[in-house]
Amino acid sequence: RRVFADFMNDISGPVTTKGSIILDRMPPQTPFVERVGAYYTVDQTPEFRWQPQGEGNGQFRWKVDSLDFSFDVQNTTMRFAKTNTLPEGYHVFYVQERDEAGNWSSAGSADVHIDRSGPNIQVFNFSQYINGSACVYTSANWVYLNIAADDGDGSGVKELHLRNAVSDWSSWVPFATPMSWTLPPMYGKISVLLEVRDELENTSASSLNVIRDDPFEGCNGNDSLDTAYVTGLELADFVGSILPGVAISGDGDDFYQVSLMEGAGGFVRVNRPAGYDAEIGLSIWDDRGDLRTTGTGTGSFREVYLGKGLGQWDFCDDGIDIYYIQVFSVDSAGDYQPYSLSFETADACPHP
C-alpha cells in the first residue's frame, strides 16, 4: 500500500512532494517444528528444533502448552530449545517467527508425552480348579497366575517377570496372562512377587500369597493347615523366610517362617546387639498348629531343634515341613529394640 504525505523543510513556505511508505502486515510463514527423540519419553526436559519457512528475520519465540504469547515467553535466535522441567503427561511445544516489520507468524508445534510411571497392576491372583470349583489352597507345585495391567495413556505394558520370595527373579518375558508358575518345594504360605514394566521400562510391583497344603483335603484346605494359625496371627504376618546361614535383622514384633527339606535340621538363634537391654521373646509353631517353644532370653541364645525326616528320634523325626516364628523385642518403656535372627543347620538331632 502506498501512502502520500506532506513534508516541511527549512525553506520558507510549504513545499509539497511525494514519497511512499510500505506497510507490511503479512506474517512470515509458520516454522516447521519437530521434537528431538521419541514421542514417549522419561526425559522431563525434552528438546525441540525448528526450521523457518520464509519471510522472517530469524527472531523466534517459544512457549509450552499455551498459545498466549503475551507472557512467559522465551525469545531466541537459535533453532532449537530444551524446555524447563515438565510434569508427566502430554505437552505441546509452540514456536513463532518474527519479520522486520514486527509481524509474528502463526505457531508451529510438536508434541511429546512424558511417562515416568509404571503400569497399573489391576489383577494378580491364581487359579486352581478341582471338579470345576475354584480353590483357595493348592496341593500342586504350580499354579496359573491371572494378571491384568494397563498403562493408561502411557507408553504401554510390555513385559513381566516373577519370583518366589525364596528365589531369584525370572527373565523378563512379553506380558501374557494367564501363565503357569512353578512354586518352590515347600508348604504353607508362599509369596510370589511380580513386576510389570512398560515400553520405557517404568516398573510396578505386586505380591501374592499362595497357600500350598499337603496333604490336600479339598479346595478350602484342611485342619492341619488351618490350625497353624490358631495363635490369632494373620497369614500375611509371616512376611520373611529364613534361609540357613543368613542372618535377618529386625526390631519389634516380627514374624518369619522356616521351610525344611527332607533330612534337614538345625537351631533357631536369636541375638540381641550389645548396648540394648530388652529381653527377646521367641515363639515357634509347627504347621500342625502345635507350639514348639515360647519364652524370653537376653544376649545371644538358641532355642529348639527343628528337623524333618532325620530318622533318629521322635523329637525330630515328625515330618514337619514348615515352622512359624515370632520374635518380640520391646524394652520396658514399650520401645522396639533391634535383634538378629538366623537358622543354623546341624547334621544330627540332639537327644531330648
mmCIF file of all heavy atoms in Angstrom, residues 4-42:
data_model
loop_
_atom_site.group_PDB
_atom_site.id
_atom_site.type_symbol
_atom_site.label_atom_id
_atom_site.label_comp_id
_atom_site.label_asym_id
_atom_site.label_seq_id
_atom_site.Cartn_x
_atom_site.Cartn_y
_atom_site.Cartn_z
ATOM 1 N N PHE A 4 0.611 8.870 0.632
ATOM 2 C CA PHE A 4 1.127 10.184 0.270
ATOM 3 C C PHE A 4 1.169 11.073 1.506
ATOM 4 O O PHE A 4 0.264 11.051 2.338
ATOM 5 C CB PHE A 4 0.254 10.829 -0.814
ATOM 6 C CG PHE A 4 0.321 10.087 -2.123
ATOM 7 C CD1 PHE A 4 -0.574 9.070 -2.409
ATOM 8 C CD2 PHE A 4 1.311 10.406 -3.041
ATOM 9 C CE1 PHE A 4 -0.495 8.394 -3.613
ATOM 10 C CE2 PHE A 4 1.381 9.718 -4.252
ATOM 11 C CZ PHE A 4 0.478 8.710 -4.545
ATOM 12 N N ALA A 5 2.228 11.890 1.614
ATOM 13 C CA ALA A 5 2.408 12.727 2.806
ATOM 14 C C ALA A 5 3.003 14.068 2.423
ATOM 15 O O ALA A 5 3.694 14.193 1.406
ATOM 16 C CB ALA A 5 3.302 12.014 3.807
ATOM 17 N N ASP A 6 2.711 15.146 3.217
ATOM 18 C CA ASP A 6 3.338 16.453 3.073
ATOM 19 C C ASP A 6 4.551 16.532 3.977
ATOM 20 O O ASP A 6 4.512 16.050 5.121
ATOM 21 C CB ASP A 6 2.356 17.569 3.447
ATOM 22 C CG ASP A 6 1.255 17.733 2.419
ATOM 23 O OD1 ASP A 6 1.503 17.340 1.257
ATOM 24 O OD2 ASP A 6 0.172 18.217 2.792
ATOM 25 N N PHE A 7 5.622 17.129 3.462
ATOM 26 C CA PHE A 7 6.841 17.265 4.229
ATOM 27 C C PHE A 7 7.150 18.743 4.429
ATOM 28 O O PHE A 7 6.893 19.552 3.552
ATOM 29 C CB PHE A 7 8.027 16.598 3.512
ATOM 30 C CG PHE A 7 7.909 15.100 3.417
ATOM 31 C CD1 PHE A 7 7.233 14.525 2.346
ATOM 32 C CD2 PHE A 7 8.476 14.286 4.372
ATOM 33 C CE1 PHE A 7 7.129 13.157 2.241
ATOM 34 C CE2 PHE A 7 8.371 12.915 4.258
ATOM 35 C CZ PHE A 7 7.700 12.351 3.196
ATOM 36 N N MET A 8 7.707 19.138 5.526
ATOM 37 C CA MET A 8 8.126 20.516 5.791
ATOM 38 C C MET A 8 9.653 20.559 5.809
ATOM 39 O O MET A 8 10.298 19.627 6.299
ATOM 40 C CB MET A 8 7.578 20.984 7.137
ATOM 41 C CG MET A 8 6.064 20.994 7.237
ATOM 42 S SD MET A 8 5.315 22.212 6.103
ATOM 43 C CE MET A 8 5.917 23.724 6.868
ATOM 44 N N ASN A 9 10.215 21.630 5.254
ATOM 45 C CA ASN A 9 11.650 21.807 5.353
ATOM 46 C C ASN A 9 11.941 23.231 5.836
ATOM 47 O O ASN A 9 11.022 23.961 6.190
ATOM 48 C CB ASN A 9 12.338 21.507 4.021
ATOM 49 C CG ASN A 9 11.810 22.357 2.895
ATOM 50 O OD1 ASN A 9 11.344 23.464 3.129
ATOM 51 N ND2 ASN A 9 11.867 21.853 1.663
ATOM 52 N N ASP A 10 13.219 23.663 5.818
ATOM 53 C CA ASP A 10 13.559 24.977 6.343
ATOM 54 C C ASP A 10 13.429 26.089 5.304
ATOM 55 O O ASP A 10 13.799 27.235 5.554
ATOM 56 C CB ASP A 10 14.972 24.965 6.923
ATOM 57 C CG ASP A 10 15.985 24.521 5.885
ATOM 58 O OD1 ASP A 10 15.573 24.212 4.734
ATOM 59 O OD2 ASP A 10 17.172 24.462 6.230
ATOM 60 N N ILE A 11 12.947 25.780 4.102
ATOM 61 C CA ILE A 11 12.683 26.826 3.107
ATOM 62 C C ILE A 11 11.338 27.446 3.439
ATOM 63 O O ILE A 11 10.381 26.739 3.737
ATOM 64 C CB ILE A 11 12.676 26.230 1.683
ATOM 65 C CG1 ILE A 11 14.032 25.580 1.383
ATOM 66 C CG2 ILE A 11 12.363 27.291 0.642
ATOM 67 C CD1 ILE A 11 14.055 24.854 0.053
ATOM 68 N N SER A 12 11.319 28.795 3.404
ATOM 69 C CA SER A 12 10.059 29.445 3.768
ATOM 70 C C SER A 12 8.960 29.048 2.814
ATOM 71 O O SER A 12 9.179 28.903 1.607
ATOM 72 C CB SER A 12 10.243 30.979 3.743
ATOM 73 O OG SER A 12 10.621 31.399 2.446
ATOM 74 N N GLY A 13 7.834 28.784 3.396
ATOM 75 C CA GLY A 13 6.681 28.391 2.601
ATOM 76 C C GLY A 13 6.597 26.865 2.502
ATOM 77 O O GLY A 13 7.596 26.160 2.578
ATOM 78 N N PRO A 14 5.395 26.400 2.362
ATOM 79 C CA PRO A 14 5.199 24.951 2.291
ATOM 80 C C PRO A 14 5.736 24.391 0.974
ATOM 81 O O PRO A 14 5.695 25.039 -0.061
ATOM 82 C CB PRO A 14 3.684 24.800 2.391
ATOM 83 C CG PRO A 14 3.153 26.083 1.853
ATOM 84 C CD PRO A 14 4.121 27.141 2.261
ATOM 85 N N VAL A 15 6.258 23.235 1.063
ATOM 86 C CA VAL A 15 6.738 22.507 -0.100
ATOM 87 C C VAL A 15 6.039 21.159 -0.137
ATOM 88 O O VAL A 15 6.007 20.443 0.859
ATOM 89 C CB VAL A 15 8.267 22.305 -0.072
ATOM 90 C CG1 VAL A 15 8.710 21.456 -1.253
ATOM 91 C CG2 VAL A 15 8.964 23.654 -0.076
ATOM 92 N N THR A 16 5.439 20.834 -1.216
ATOM 93 C CA THR A 16 4.738 19.555 -1.332
ATOM 94 C C THR A 16 5.551 18.616 -2.206
ATOM 95 O O THR A 16 6.051 19.011 -3.266
ATOM 96 C CB THR A 16 3.348 19.751 -1.951
ATOM 97 O OG1 THR A 16 2.589 20.632 -1.118
ATOM 98 C CG2 THR A 16 2.607 18.425 -2.070
ATOM 99 N N THR A 17 5.724 17.424 -1.717
ATOM 100 C CA THR A 17 6.439 16.415 -2.503
ATOM 101 C C THR A 17 5.742 15.087 -2.333
ATOM 102 O O THR A 17 4.845 14.931 -1.511
ATOM 103 C CB THR A 17 7.913 16.313 -2.060
ATOM 104 O OG1 THR A 17 8.593 15.407 -2.931
ATOM 105 C CG2 THR A 17 7.994 15.777 -0.622
ATOM 106 N N LYS A 18 6.154 14.129 -3.086
ATOM 107 C CA LYS A 18 5.561 12.810 -2.997
ATOM 108 C C LYS A 18 6.602 11.803 -2.497
ATOM 109 O O LYS A 18 7.748 11.832 -2.926
ATOM 110 C CB LYS A 18 5.039 12.365 -4.352
ATOM 111 C CG LYS A 18 3.840 13.156 -4.851
ATOM 112 C CD LYS A 18 3.364 12.617 -6.180
ATOM 113 C CE LYS A 18 2.143 13.412 -6.661
ATOM 114 N NZ LYS A 18 1.663 12.901 -7.985
ATOM 115 N N GLY A 19 6.183 10.930 -1.590
ATOM 116 C CA GLY A 19 7.020 9.820 -1.103
ATOM 117 C C GLY A 19 6.156 8.612 -0.857
ATOM 118 O O GLY A 19 4.930 8.661 -0.981
ATOM 119 N N SER A 20 6.749 7.534 -0.506
ATOM 120 C CA SER A 20 5.971 6.306 -0.255
ATOM 121 C C SER A 20 6.523 5.545 0.945
ATOM 122 O O SER A 20 7.727 5.570 1.201
ATOM 123 C CB SER A 20 5.969 5.402 -1.485
ATOM 124 O OG SER A 20 7.265 4.949 -1.765
ATOM 125 N N ILE A 21 5.630 4.930 1.684
ATOM 126 C CA ILE A 21 5.961 4.045 2.812
ATOM 127 C C ILE A 21 5.271 2.711 2.557
ATOM 128 O O ILE A 21 4.090 2.677 2.237
ATOM 129 C CB ILE A 21 5.482 4.619 4.155
ATOM 130 C CG1 ILE A 21 6.141 5.957 4.437
ATOM 131 C CG2 ILE A 21 5.763 3.642 5.280
ATOM 132 C CD1 ILE A 21 5.602 6.638 5.671
ATOM 133 N N ILE A 22 6.011 1.600 2.706
ATOM 134 C CA ILE A 22 5.421 0.266 2.515
ATOM 135 C C ILE A 22 4.961 -0.265 3.873
ATOM 136 O O ILE A 22 5.775 -0.427 4.785
ATOM 137 C CB ILE A 22 6.420 -0.697 1.865
ATOM 138 C CG1 ILE A 22 6.818 -0.188 0.482
ATOM 139 C CG2 ILE A 22 5.826 -2.098 1.775
ATOM 140 C CD1 ILE A 22 7.869 -1.024 -0.188
ATOM 141 N N LEU A 23 3.682 -0.503 4.044
ATOM 142 C CA LEU A 23 3.137 -1.097 5.267
ATOM 143 C C LEU A 23 3.086 -2.611 5.097
ATOM 144 O O LEU A 23 2.409 -3.118 4.204
ATOM 145 C CB LEU A 23 1.739 -0.553 5.550
ATOM 146 C CG LEU A 23 1.635 0.930 5.852
ATOM 147 C CD1 LEU A 23 0.188 1.298 6.146
ATOM 148 C CD2 LEU A 23 2.532 1.291 7.016
ATOM 149 N N ASP A 24 3.823 -3.314 5.962
ATOM 150 C CA ASP A 24 3.899 -4.777 5.867
ATOM 151 C C ASP A 24 3.069 -5.391 6.987
ATOM 152 O O ASP A 24 3.455 -5.330 8.155
ATOM 153 C CB ASP A 24 5.351 -5.235 5.967
ATOM 154 C CG ASP A 24 5.489 -6.749 5.862
ATOM 155 O OD1 ASP A 24 4.461 -7.439 5.657
ATOM 156 O OD2 ASP A 24 6.626 -7.241 5.983
ATOM 157 N N ARG A 25 1.962 -5.931 6.663
ATOM 158 C CA ARG A 25 1.103 -6.570 7.647
ATOM 159 C C ARG A 25 0.968 -8.079 7.388
ATOM 160 O O ARG A 25 0.135 -8.743 7.983
ATOM 161 C CB ARG A 25 -0.283 -5.921 7.636
ATOM 162 C CG ARG A 25 -0.237 -4.440 7.973
ATOM 163 C CD ARG A 25 -1.608 -3.805 7.882
ATOM 164 N NE ARG A 25 -2.516 -4.384 8.866
ATOM 165 C CZ ARG A 25 -2.645 -3.962 10.129
ATOM 166 N NH1 ARG A 25 -1.885 -2.949 10.552
ATOM 167 N NH2 ARG A 25 -3.505 -4.517 10.944
ATOM 168 N N MET A 26 1.816 -8.616 6.523
ATOM 169 C CA MET A 26 1.783 -10.050 6.214
ATOM 170 C C MET A 26 2.775 -10.793 7.103
ATOM 171 O O MET A 26 3.966 -10.469 7.112
ATOM 172 C CB MET A 26 2.127 -10.276 4.747
ATOM 173 C CG MET A 26 1.119 -9.690 3.778
ATOM 174 S SD MET A 26 -0.509 -10.490 3.921
ATOM 175 C CE MET A 26 -0.096 -12.130 3.355
ATOM 176 N N PRO A 27 2.328 -11.785 7.888
ATOM 177 C CA PRO A 27 3.247 -12.508 8.785
ATOM 178 C C PRO A 27 4.154 -13.462 8.005
ATOM 179 O O PRO A 27 3.839 -13.842 6.872
ATOM 180 C CB PRO A 27 2.295 -13.281 9.699
ATOM 181 C CG PRO A 27 1.080 -13.514 8.865
ATOM 182 C CD PRO A 27 0.941 -12.284 8.009
ATOM 183 N N PRO A 28 5.252 -13.847 8.604
ATOM 184 C CA PRO A 28 6.118 -14.849 7.975
ATOM 185 C C PRO A 28 5.405 -16.207 7.905
ATOM 186 O O PRO A 28 4.347 -16.420 8.507
ATOM 187 C CB PRO A 28 7.323 -14.911 8.910
ATOM 188 C CG PRO A 28 7.230 -13.724 9.788
ATOM 189 C CD PRO A 28 5.788 -13.371 9.870
ATOM 190 N N GLN A 29 6.022 -17.106 7.180
ATOM 191 C CA GLN A 29 5.495 -18.466 7.108
ATOM 192 C C GLN A 29 5.668 -19.171 8.464
ATOM 193 O O GLN A 29 6.569 -18.862 9.249
ATOM 194 C CB GLN A 29 6.229 -19.257 6.018
ATOM 195 C CG GLN A 29 6.059 -18.695 4.623
ATOM 196 C CD GLN A 29 4.609 -18.757 4.168
ATOM 197 O OE1 GLN A 29 3.939 -19.776 4.313
ATOM 198 N NE2 GLN A 29 4.126 -17.629 3.639
ATOM 199 N N THR A 30 4.783 -20.112 8.730
ATOM 200 C CA THR A 30 4.820 -20.856 10.006
ATOM 201 C C THR A 30 6.046 -21.758 10.062
ATOM 202 O O THR A 30 6.298 -22.533 9.132
ATOM 203 C CB THR A 30 3.558 -21.724 10.153
ATOM 204 O OG1 THR A 30 2.408 -20.887 10.056
ATOM 205 C CG2 THR A 30 3.564 -22.471 11.481
ATOM 206 N N PRO A 31 6.847 -21.687 11.135
ATOM 207 C CA PRO A 31 8.020 -22.557 11.235
ATOM 208 C C PRO A 31 7.613 -24.034 11.284
ATOM 209 O O PRO A 31 6.551 -24.391 11.796
ATOM 210 C CB PRO A 31 8.680 -22.127 12.548
ATOM 211 C CG PRO A 31 8.106 -20.788 12.863
ATOM 212 C CD PRO A 31 6.737 -20.776 12.291
ATOM 213 N N PHE A 32 8.509 -24.872 10.778
ATOM 214 C CA PHE A 32 8.322 -26.319 10.890
ATOM 215 C C PHE A 32 9.008 -26.788 12.171
ATOM 216 O O PHE A 32 10.213 -26.599 12.346
ATOM 217 C CB PHE A 32 8.913 -27.040 9.689
ATOM 218 C CG PHE A 32 8.904 -28.540 9.831
ATOM 219 C CD1 PHE A 32 7.726 -29.260 9.706
ATOM 220 C CD2 PHE A 32 10.080 -29.226 10.125
ATOM 221 C CE1 PHE A 32 7.717 -30.645 9.847
ATOM 222 C CE2 PHE A 32 10.077 -30.606 10.274
ATOM 223 C CZ PHE A 32 8.891 -31.313 10.133
ATOM 224 N N VAL A 33 8.251 -27.389 13.086
ATOM 225 C CA VAL A 33 8.759 -27.761 14.413
ATOM 226 C C VAL A 33 8.725 -29.274 14.564
ATOM 227 O O VAL A 33 7.754 -29.936 14.155
ATOM 228 C CB VAL A 33 7.912 -27.119 15.533
ATOM 229 C CG1 VAL A 33 8.524 -27.407 16.904
ATOM 230 C CG2 VAL A 33 7.772 -25.623 15.303
ATOM 231 N N GLU A 34 9.753 -29.844 15.190
ATOM 232 C CA GLU A 34 9.783 -31.279 15.473
ATOM 233 C C GLU A 34 10.502 -31.508 16.797
ATOM 234 O O GLU A 34 11.373 -30.727 17.194
ATOM 235 C CB GLU A 34 10.462 -32.060 14.355
ATOM 236 C CG GLU A 34 11.905 -31.667 14.104
ATOM 237 C CD GLU A 34 12.526 -32.428 12.957
ATOM 238 O OE1 GLU A 34 11.914 -33.422 12.521
ATOM 239 O OE2 GLU A 34 13.618 -32.033 12.505
ATOM 240 N N ARG A 35 10.099 -32.551 17.492
ATOM 241 C CA ARG A 35 10.782 -32.909 18.744
ATOM 242 C C ARG A 35 12.027 -33.708 18.405
ATOM 243 O O ARG A 35 12.119 -34.374 17.366
ATOM 244 C CB ARG A 35 9.862 -33.701 19.675
ATOM 245 C CG ARG A 35 9.540 -35.069 19.159
ATOM 246 C CD ARG A 35 8.604 -35.861 20.056
ATOM 247 N NE ARG A 35 8.119 -37.020 19.316
ATOM 248 C CZ ARG A 35 7.058 -37.005 18.531
ATOM 249 N NH1 ARG A 35 6.335 -35.898 18.413
ATOM 250 N NH2 ARG A 35 6.721 -38.082 17.858
ATOM 251 N N VAL A 36 12.988 -33.677 19.319
ATOM 252 C CA VAL A 36 14.198 -34.482 19.198
ATOM 253 C C VAL A 36 14.001 -35.730 20.045
ATOM 254 O O VAL A 36 13.969 -35.662 21.268
ATOM 255 C CB VAL A 36 15.440 -33.693 19.668
ATOM 256 C CG1 VAL A 36 16.679 -34.560 19.560
ATOM 257 C CG2 VAL A 36 15.594 -32.418 18.859
ATOM 258 N N GLY A 37 13.821 -36.868 19.409
ATOM 259 C CA GLY A 37 13.588 -38.108 20.148
ATOM 260 C C GLY A 37 12.173 -38.614 19.970
ATOM 261 O O GLY A 37 11.368 -38.063 19.214
ATOM 262 N N ALA A 38 11.854 -39.663 20.720
ATOM 263 C CA ALA A 38 10.577 -40.357 20.575
ATOM 264 C C ALA A 38 9.429 -39.575 21.215
ATOM 265 O O ALA A 38 9.642 -38.717 22.082
ATOM 266 C CB ALA A 38 10.673 -41.750 21.187
ATOM 267 N N TYR A 39 8.227 -39.914 20.792
ATOM 268 C CA TYR A 39 7.033 -39.273 21.351
ATOM 269 C C TYR A 39 6.919 -39.559 22.844
ATOM 270 O O TYR A 39 6.687 -38.655 23.648
ATOM 271 C CB TYR A 39 5.794 -39.761 20.604
ATOM 272 C CG TYR A 39 4.485 -39.329 21.223
ATOM 273 C CD1 TYR A 39 4.073 -38.005 21.163
ATOM 274 C CD2 TYR A 39 3.656 -40.250 21.854
ATOM 275 C CE1 TYR A 39 2.869 -37.593 21.729
ATOM 276 C CE2 TYR A 39 2.450 -39.857 22.426
ATOM 277 C CZ TYR A 39 2.064 -38.531 22.364
ATOM 278 O OH TYR A 39 0.881 -38.135 22.918
ATOM 279 N N TYR A 40 7.048 -40.837 23.253
ATOM 280 C CA TYR A 40 7.051 -41.188 24.666
ATOM 281 C C TYR A 40 8.480 -41.095 25.197
ATOM 282 O O TYR A 40 9.426 -41.607 24.581
ATOM 283 C CB TYR A 40 6.527 -42.605 24.887
ATOM 284 C CG TYR A 40 5.023 -42.725 24.761
ATOM 285 C CD1 TYR A 40 4.448 -43.318 23.639
ATOM 286 C CD2 TYR A 40 4.191 -42.238 25.752
ATOM 287 C CE1 TYR A 40 3.068 -43.430 23.527
ATOM 288 C CE2 TYR A 40 2.805 -42.344 25.642
ATOM 289 C CZ TYR A 40 2.257 -42.943 24.529
ATOM 290 O OH TYR A 40 0.897 -43.039 24.418
ATOM 291 N N THR A 41 8.644 -40.464 26.348
ATOM 292 C CA THR A 41 9.974 -40.286 26.922
ATOM 293 C C THR A 41 9.884 -40.194 28.437
ATOM 294 O O THR A 41 8.833 -39.812 28.982
ATOM 295 C CB THR A 41 10.643 -39.017 26.361
ATOM 296 O OG1 THR A 41 11.955 -38.880 26.924
ATOM 297 C CG2 THR A 41 9.835 -37.770 26.704
ATOM 298 N N VAL A 42 10.978 -40.516 29.124
ATOM 299 C CA VAL A 42 11.078 -40.288 30.569
ATOM 300 C C VAL A 42 11.765 -38.961 30.855
ATOM 301 O O VAL A 42 11.820 -38.520 32.013
ATOM 302 C CB VAL A 42 11.847 -41.435 31.262
ATOM 303 C CG1 VAL A 42 11.109 -42.746 31.125
ATOM 304 C CG2 VAL A 42 13.267 -41.561 30.714
#
